[in-house]
Amino acid sequence: MSSIQKVQRKTGPRWRVQTEFWDPVKKKRVRQTRVFKTHAEAKEFAVKYDAEYQDGVRKTRDTVTAFSEDWLQKRLDLGHIRENTYYAHKTRLDAWCAYFGHLPLSKLTTQNIEEFLVALTTGQASLSKKPLAAKTVSGVLALLRVCLRDACAQRLLSWNPAEAAKAPKAQPKPRVPMPTRDELRMYLDAIDDSKWRLPGRFQLYTGLRRSELFGLPEHLVDLQHGTIRIEQSLMRVAKDGRVYYKVAPVKAEASLRTLSLAPDAVEVLAEQIRINRENRLRAEPGTWDTEGLGLVFVDERGDAIRTDTYTQALADIRRGLELPAFQPTHVWRKVMGTEMVRAGVPINVVAEQLGHTPLTAQQHYIRPDSEDQRKAVSHVASLFNKK
């Protein structure tokens, strides 16, 4: 909205154009003023402004689909998200574009969004036509809120209709209890009897993520000083129904770290590197490590091992032993965090080992088992027992 006023200056009359718009970041209306020498110049600016803005919000012919797709692509191009995150987000974005993507961005309402969320829970709006869990639906809403928040920052919207939308309530699920030490020993013995002995042992000794484990290159291993440097990971990318893997820098700054290794871990690394060199000598020319990645934990041809293959193999071992349904590869990170805290290791050291912030490590990776809980309640009971 603009207005033109004539003002008298010492140098003669001037024409002042005052504009007003809503700033979604500061959450208030902002007035701006431009002064022109002639009425024609002032009128030309005011007409152009009013053609571009309506009620302080920039007019656009963009549909929800056009803006959403452009927004996600720019986040990838600017390095705000990685390629695997881009395709994961695109699956969610495609769902809302199929449902209300034809609407002009300025016409999208909270009601449209809530109807879409309900349709996801029934399977009507999901791309797979299967009902989605409430937690998954909440994730879709969270991404939509961020997308429309950027539209507000660009003054394409005066407010974010997704902020007022409410996702279906997720039913709480009981936590899977941590396996006991006896169960973990049984599990580890079975892994030792499989071809996954070396990567399984090394993950136990270091607490690495599986992507860090299979993305570890030999040139970042220092056997002499017993250290490894975590700078990259093996990234899983799901695109158009296909899955492929590629080496990429670690996702977060906290994941970038140097780890000192226990002697047992150094022995595992040395054995794996020795096996790789023997396999390389036996391989036909041009068939070993065809991508030239130089990774430590590889298959018989020197190529990267798919993390899904490793997870599935360890899950089969766990099921064969009829153990509780804990995460077959992630359990070693929780064992690492829990056992280090029991040993009195400071939380910042635990966080550095796991590649997380101290708060995240405390919330997600330090889990009491049944023995810890039994000791805790027994201690409380002993305080009030009759002497």
Side-chain angles (χ1 to χ4, degrees):
M1 183 175 63
S2 63
S3 60
I4 302 176
Q5 292 178 323
K6 183 179 181 180
V7 293
Q8 192 66 37
R9 299 284 177 86
K10 291 182 179 180
T11 55
R14 294 290 184 269
W15 301 91
R16 182 172 64 196
V17 180
Q18 184 168 307
T19 61
E20 182 178 325
F21 66 90
W22 171 258
D23 189 329
V25 178
K26 296 180 181 179
K27 298 189 181 331
K28 64 179 183 180
R29 289 205 166 269
V30 177
R31 289 189 176 91
Q32 294 181 340
T33 301
R34 292 279 302 272
V35 178
F36 299 88
K37 288 184 178 180
T38 66
H39 182 269
E41 292 174 338
K43 186 173 182 180
E44 181 183 358
F45 175 82
V47 170
K48 183 177 179 181
Y49 180 90
D50 289 338
E52 187 176 357
Y53 293 83
Q54 181 175 4
D55 295 330
V57 178
R58 186 183 300 158
K59 293 179 182 179
T60 176
R61 295 182 180 179
D62 283 351
T63 60
V64 174
T65 295
F67 176 80
S68 300
E69 291 179 346
D70 181 64
W71 168 81
L72 188 62
Q73 185 63 48
K74 284 181 179 176
R75 285 175 64 85
L76 176 65
D77 295 341
L78 294 173
H80 295 165
I81 57 175
R82 300 204 302 176
E83 188 178 355
N84 60 336
T85 305
Y86 169 83
Y87 288 113
H89 285 353
K90 193 166 189 320
T91 301
R92 298 175 174 183
L93 184 149
D94 287 345
W96 77 58
C97 288
Y99 195 84
F100 52 61
H102 62 285
L103 293 176
L105 187 62
S106 58
K107 299 296 184 182
L108 183 63
T109 66
T110 299
Q111 183 178 353
N112 296 144
I113 296 171
E114 290 187 334
E115 288 173 354
F116 163 66
L117 298 176
V118 171
L120 286 178
T121 61
T122 62
Q124 180 184 351
S126 67
L127 299 181
S128 64
K129 300 305 179 184
K130 296 179 181 178
L132 299 185
K135 186 175 181 180
T136 304
V137 175
S138 296
V140 176
L141 176 59
L143 182 65
L144 181 58
R145 281 173 175 163
V146 175
C147 176
L148 297 184
R149 203 172 293 151
D150 283 358
C152 290
Q154 296 175 37
R155 289 165 56 188
L156 298 175
L157 291 174
S158 60
W159 74 293
N160 187 347
E163 295 291 354
K166 293 180 174 57
K169 185 177 179 180
Q171 296 299 319
K173 293 183 179 180
R175 279 189 172 186
V176 177
M178 278 285 288
T180 65
R181 289 181 180 176
D182 287 340
E183 289 173 335
L184 288 171
R185 289 191 188 97
M186 187 188 310
Y187 181 48
L188 189 58
D189 288 343
I191 294 175
D192 284 342
D193 293 335
S194 71
K195 71 174 186 177
W196 304 103
R197 175 178 67 87
L198 294 178
R201 280 280 174 181
F202 194 71
Q203 194 180 21
L204 167 64
Y205 296 149
T206 59
L208 292 180
R209 300 174 177 90
R210 58 180 187 165
S211 59
E212 296 170 342
L213 175 70
F214 292 110
L216 177 66
E218 193 170 327
H219 73 269
L220 294 180
V221 173
D222 186 345
L223 291 177
Q224 183 179 355
H225 295 94
T227 63
I228 58 173
R229 178 71 180 163
I230 305 299
E231 294 182 357
Q232 65 183 43
S233 63
L234 189 64
M235 183 171 66
R236 179 184 186 273
V237 182
K239 177 184 177 182
D240 300 330
R242 293 174 50 251
V243 174
Y244 64 92
Y245 290 80
K246 61 185 293 186
V247 171
V250 291
K251 186 175 182 179
E253 185 178 350
S255 300
L256 192 66
R257 62 202 190 278
T258 299
L259 299 181
S260 297
L261 304 177
D264 289 340
V266 175
E267 288 181 13
V268 168
L269 270 184
E271 182 178 352
Q272 181 66 54
I273 291 173
R274 177 182 58 80
I275 291 173
N276 291 348
R277 289 173 180 171
E278 292 174 355
N279 289 338
R280 187 185 300 117
L281 291 174
R282 287 195 294 265
E284 294 292 330
T287 61
W288 175 266
D289 188 12
T290 53
E291 295 184 40
L293 299 177
L295 303 178
V296 174
F297 294 99
V298 293
D299 62 17
E300 296 79 5
R301 300 184 304 275
D303 294 328
I305 295 174
R306 296 165 62 101
T307 54
D308 285 350
T309 302
Y310 175 65
T311 301
Q312 185 60 52
L314 265 60
D316 291 341
I317 292 174
R318 185 203 66 206
R319 280 192 291 267
L321 298 173
E322 298 183 351
L323 294 176
F326 56 80
Q327 293 170 303
T329 61
H330 211 61
V331 67
W332 299 128
R333 287 175 60 76
K334 295 188 176 181
V335 168
M336 171 69 72
T338 302
E339 294 298 336
M340 289 178 77
V341 169
R342 282 176 180 164
V345 177
I347 189 63
N348 62 311
V349 178
V350 178
E352 174 71 16
Q353 181 71 33
L354 297 175
H356 268 299
T357 61
L359 180 60
T360 305
Q362 205 163 10
Q363 288 177 331
H364 298 288
Y365 291 97
I366 301 170
R367 294 282 299 279
D369 61 14
S370 56
E371 186 61 27
D372 292 323
Q373 294 169 341
R374 191 176 297 108
K375 287 180 180 178
V377 295
S378 297
H379 171 70
V380 174
S382 67
L383 296 176
F384 298 96
N385 280 344
K386 294 181 179 179
K387 301 294 185 180

